Amino acid sequence: DTAVSQTPKYLVTQMGNDKSIKCEQNLGHDTMYWYKQDSKKFLKIMFSYNNKELIINETVPNRFSPKSPDKAHLNLHINSLELGDSAVYFCASRMRGRNSPLHFGNGTRLTVT
Amino acid sequence: GQQVMQIPQYQHVQEGEDFTTYCNSSTTLSNIQWYKQRPGGHPVFLIQLVKSGEVKKQKRLTFQFGEAKKNSSLHITATQTTDVGTYFCARQGGSEKLVFGKGTKLTVNP
């Protein structure tokens, strides 16, 4: 199947832990993103990579570190997790260009206790 | 700023009623995209509007882009329970950034 796939789907962890979320797309897209969706459903952009190069870095705590080993993969590592990090994290990709639509992964629901 | 204002935040309708959500910007938009997110799901691209005054239809859904390219609307005729979800508009925020409105959550009473 052609898709944006991210793992894990659910992640429950305690405050202070470090965790990673992985994302892969086989759509041949150039640009990948991480979005955070809070409990009010607000979708906020966090990072974007184009062909392994970081092009968007919103005001995100530096506990969040994205990594793109190649243009088909974008991972998100979170250090010292806090309660406020609980949210659904969506990976997305699209072809570079202002008119191309975003293709989202199924999301990772992170719960920090 | 780059934010698009989307109203209403919530809309509850009886099945068969019409529904409209509006997206407004203080600045001219190069284009506007619309997405639908079903409960528990991920946002799915519906359509993109580019031209001033553009109107596009997808079955019972009608999308409009304002003449001044500062607002857009999504209208659903005769809602069905399958229309339930949150509808987002999104604008280009510069470079490769796509900025989403806060969404309109639609619930449909059968």
Side-chain angles (χ1 to χ4, degrees):
Chain A
D1 286 350
T2 54
V4 180
S5 56
Q6 54 182 109
T7 56
K9 188 171 174 63
Y10 299 98
L11 192 48
V12 181
T13 189
Q14 292 184 326
M15 282 174 54
N17 285 347
D18 304 339
K19 290 294 177 185
S20 292
I21 307 171
K22 295 186 175 183
C23 180
E24 174 183 2
Q25 56 92 6
N26 61 3
L27 298 165
H29 290 163
D30 302 302
T31 311
M32 295 185 72
Y33 300 79
W34 281 111
Y35 278 85
K36 178 181 180 180
Q37 187 171 49
D38 61 24
S39 57
K40 294 185 179 179
K41 295 292 188 183
F42 183 40
L43 273 166
K44 185 177 179 184
I45 189 168
M46 300 174 70
F47 301 103
S48 177
Y49 272 75
N50 180 262
N51 220 353
K52 301 193 295 178
E53 179 189 353
L54 181 66
I55 57 172
I56 296 171
N57 186 350
E58 293 293 286
T59 49
V60 178
N62 57 15
R63 298 182 294 103
F64 290 78
S65 52
K67 279 192 181 162
S68 181
D70 55 62
K71 76 171 193 175
H73 295 84
L74 179 61
N75 304 322
L76 183 65
H77 187 76
I78 315 171
N79 289 324
S80 303
L81 279 155
E82 299 178 357
L83 292 176
D85 298 332
S86 296
V88 179
Y89 292 84
F90 285 103
C91 176
S93 72
R94 67 171 175 171
M95 287 303 295
R96 187 163 196 168
R98 289 174 165 240
N99 290 347
S100 55
L102 274 176
H103 294 253
F104 283 85
N106 289 332
T108 296
R109 182 174 292 277
L110 171 65
T111 304
V112 183
T113 61
Chain B
Q2 294 181 343
Q3 186 67 49
V4 282
M5 303 305 296
Q6 202 172 341
I7 54 171
Q9 193 174 353
Y10 302 96
Q11 185 77 60
H12 179 78
V13 299
Q14 289 291 127
E15 190 172 19
E17 291 180 340
D18 292 355
F19 159 77
T20 305
T21 173
Y22 301 90
C23 190
N24 299 305
S25 170
S26 58
T27 57
T28 303
L29 303 167
S30 57
N31 60 65
I32 193 91
Q33 296 183 0
W34 285 93
Y35 291 77
K36 176 184 178 181
Q37 183 177 17
R38 293 180 187 272
H42 58 277
V44 174
F45 173 76
L46 292 176
I47 210 158
Q48 174 169 260
L49 304 172
V50 179
K51 299 177 183 176
S52 167
E54 190 170 15
V55 178
K56 287 188 176 180
K57 292 192 175 187
Q58 289 179 351
K59 296 182 181 177
R60 293 177 296 103
L61 276 61
T62 302
F63 303 84
Q64 290 190 314
F65 203 7
E67 292 291 339
K69 298 181 74 173
K70 287 187 176 182
N71 54 68
S72 181
S73 64
L74 157 58
H75 179 82
I76 303 178
T77 304
T79 53
Q80 300 175 358
T81 54
T82 53
D83 296 324
V84 162
T86 301
Y87 293 84
F88 294 96
C89 62
R91 66 165 291 173
Q92 284 295 145
S95 186
E96 295 294 321
K97 187 189 297 187
L98 199 61
V99 179
F100 284 78
K102 293 194 175 182
T104 296
K105 183 177 179 180
L106 172 65
T107 54
V108 179
N109 202 26

